[in-house]
Amino acid sequence: MKRVLQGNEQEDGGGTSAGSQETHKRQRMEKDLEEERAHWECLPQEILLHIFQYLPLLDRAYSSQVDSSRESAEAACNILSQLVNCSLKTLGLISTARPSFMELPKSHFISALTVVFVNSKSLSSLKIDDTPVDDPSLKVLVANNSETLKLLKMSSCPHVSPAGILCVADQCHGLRELALNYHLLSDELLIALSSEKHVHLEHLRIDVVSENPGQQFHTIKKSSWDAMVRHSPKFSLVMYFFLYEDEFGPFFRDEIPVTHLYFGRSVSKDVLGRVGLTCPRLVELVVCANGLRPLDEELIRIAQRCTQLSAIGLGECEVSCSAFVEFVKMCGDRLTQLSIMEEVLVPDHCYGLDDIHWEVSKHLGRVWFPDMMPTW
């Protein structure tokens, strides 16, 4: 080591070796890059936005994806406001970190969106979830794109009223897919979607979300749902419930044509029992949690009444092994998706966890095992 050190010292005195030169050059480049990166990140946002304005429109769209959520939303609005000579058919605004668009001044967002609505004239697909879109801007949308709009997704848009979405349904007769929050759903909206002028609706998604415990929800008449089914007998009704247990009062009292039902929070035995009585068109059911009261009777009732059920998933629930086998036996091989955690199944005098998969596999017509919680 002494000889190596002495050799290096001699080389330093008389000029560095080729290897040392490369190492020194690389270290210097890395240091310069770090300094440039630090200077770039320290630039004020206004200067950065000014610099990006000189990029082509497509490059600005790509660069906006790596900014912060608010900066990305502002960049998106700036791009939209310049689309005066561009006729879009599809527009989707996605908040990667909510609520980015909701943090912008409402007037700024509406102004940019109106540019697209006025100049496109042929929008067929519009996804504006989690944005400050409002009723007047929807009227502009309808005035310019009523003949072409087929898909509209606008969940979590607090500035839109039932009258605003009704305006869309009244005028956009080609609408085939619609996604919105439950507070925008009304009997008038369903009747408008069921008019003779309207095409057959294919997909309706409703998010039932509670903002505060104890929130009150309105009811929808059975006659309104019946009108929808008569007009569009094959439409899918997808409902996501994020409610507290004491808020389910208005729901599942009368028959409802829901096909895909998801409970994102704990749901009581009573509500699941009503599901079996009021959802004859049910195709898929997912229950996130129920508690520690077995769902044997409720599951059997769902198998008896929901004759189209083909997919079910149970999370933090309890079902006896015997009831589960009976449920599978009643549904048979039409259960194409069966996702049940092993912890859900409670052994009894007929079946244990070691042998239940054989019995279930026999009725399904394929090999089946319960899902297991990862151990890592």
Side-chain angles (χ1 to χ4, degrees):
M1 290 183 66
K2 185 176 181 180
R3 276 197 300 271
V4 172
L5 179 60
Q6 289 175 344
N8 288 339
E9 290 175 348
Q10 291 174 356
E11 289 175 354
D12 289 342
T16 57
S17 65
S20 298
Q21 288 179 346
E22 289 298 324
T23 301
H24 180 73
K25 182 179 180 181
R26 184 172 62 253
Q27 291 175 344
R28 182 60 186 174
M29 290 178 63
E30 291 176 352
K31 183 178 180 181
D32 291 342
L33 287 173
E34 290 179 359
E35 290 178 353
E36 290 177 4
R37 188 180 300 114
H39 292 321
W40 178 260
E41 293 173 351
C42 291
L43 285 175
Q45 179 179 330
E46 294 77 10
I47 296 178
L48 284 174
L49 293 176
H50 182 73
I51 293 173
F52 279 113
Q53 287 179 359
Y54 291 97
L55 290 174
L57 190 60
L58 184 59
D59 291 339
R60 270 181 280 162
Y62 287 135
S63 65
S64 68
Q65 298 176 10
V66 299
D67 296 333
S68 72
S69 59
R70 182 183 175 89
E71 290 170 344
S72 296
E74 290 179 346
C77 286
N78 290 335
I79 291 172
L80 293 178
S81 64
Q82 297 179 54
L83 298 178
V84 293
N85 296 316
C86 182
S87 182
L88 296 179
K89 294 184 179 298
T90 300
L91 175 62
L93 301 180
I94 303 173
S95 297
T96 55
R98 297 181 181 179
S100 57
F101 287 103
M102 296 300 296
E103 293 176 351
L104 300 179
K106 180 186 171 188
S107 58
H108 179 44
F109 175 83
I110 295 299
S111 176
L113 196 63
T114 301
V115 170
V116 177
F117 290 168
V118 170
N119 292 280
S120 289
K121 306 292 186 183
S122 58
L123 268 174
S124 62
S125 176
L126 180 61
K127 301 177 182 180
I128 48 175
D129 295 336
D130 300 288
T131 65
V133 63
D134 58 9
D135 290 358
S137 58
L138 288 182
K139 290 182 179 179
V140 177
L141 167 69
V142 170
N144 293 275
N145 301 272
S146 62
E147 299 297 325
T148 58
L149 191 63
K150 296 181 179 179
L151 181 151
L152 177 60
K153 291 186 62 178
M154 48 178 302
S155 296
S156 302
C157 296
H159 300 295
V160 175
S161 72
I165 192 63
L166 181 59
C167 174
V168 176
D170 275 335
Q171 302 297 323
C172 300
H173 298 146
L175 200 62
R176 296 182 181 275
E177 298 185 43
L178 180 62
L180 41 79
N181 283 80
Y182 183 80
H183 77 273
L184 296 178
L185 185 67
S186 65
D187 295 295
E188 293 78 11
L189 176 62
L190 293 178
I191 297 302
L193 294 171
S194 305
S195 66
E196 293 183 2
K197 295 180 180 180
H198 209 286
V199 300
H200 296 300
L201 196 71
E202 297 175 358
H203 187 89
L204 176 60
R205 169 174 167 161
I206 305 296
D207 293 344
V208 191
V209 182
S210 173
E211 302 295 340
N212 302 296
Q215 183 174 335
Q216 299 297 315
F217 292 88
H218 63 283
T219 58
I220 300 296
K221 297 178 181 177
K222 181 179 181 299
S223 58
S224 302
W225 287 121
D226 291 342
M228 270 294 300
V229 174
R230 286 194 300 270
H231 182 265
S232 303
K234 297 182 179 180
F235 91 105
S236 297
L237 174 58
V238 182
M239 299 189 74
Y240 285 81
F241 281 85
F242 297 92
L243 302 183
Y244 298 96
E245 289 192 14
D246 59 348
E247 297 173 335
F248 279 96
F251 301 101
F252 307 108
R253 295 297 180 181
D254 295 313
E255 189 172 297
I256 180 174
V258 61
T259 56
H260 299 73
L261 186 55
Y262 306 94
F263 293 103
R265 291 177 182 166
S266 181
V267 57
S268 68
K269 281 172 60 70
D270 176 60
V271 172
L272 289 176
R274 302 203 308 256
V275 166
L277 296 174
T278 59
C279 305
R281 298 176 76 237
L282 194 62
V283 173
E284 181 174 7
L285 173 65
V286 175
V287 180
C288 174
N290 166 259
L292 300 179
R293 299 178 62 190
L295 299 176
D296 294 4
E297 296 179 1
E298 291 74 18
L299 207 59
I300 297 300
R301 181 180 298 169
I302 288 173
Q304 292 173 337
R305 301 292 189 106
C306 306
T307 57
Q308 301 179 56
L309 187 70
S310 62
I312 187 169
L314 298 179
E316 298 179 14
C317 308
E318 282 194 359
V319 178
S320 71
C321 288
S322 295
F324 181 64
V325 170
E326 183 64 21
F327 167 80
V328 175
K329 182 179 180 180
M330 296 173 67
C331 294
D333 58 4
R334 63 184 169 88
L335 276 178
T336 57
Q337 297 182 37
L338 184 60
S339 179
I340 309 294
M341 297 299 298
E342 186 179 59
E343 290 78 9
V344 170
L345 301 172
V346 180
D348 54 25
H349 63 284
C350 293
Y351 301 100
L353 294 178
D354 293 333
D355 54 4
I356 189 175
H357 69 276
W358 293 108
E359 192 69 20
V360 172
S361 298
K362 179 178 69 176
H363 296 298
L364 287 178
R366 66 181 188 276
V367 177
W368 178 87
F369 286 92
D371 298 331
M372 299 184 66
M373 188 72 69
T375 57
W376 62 85

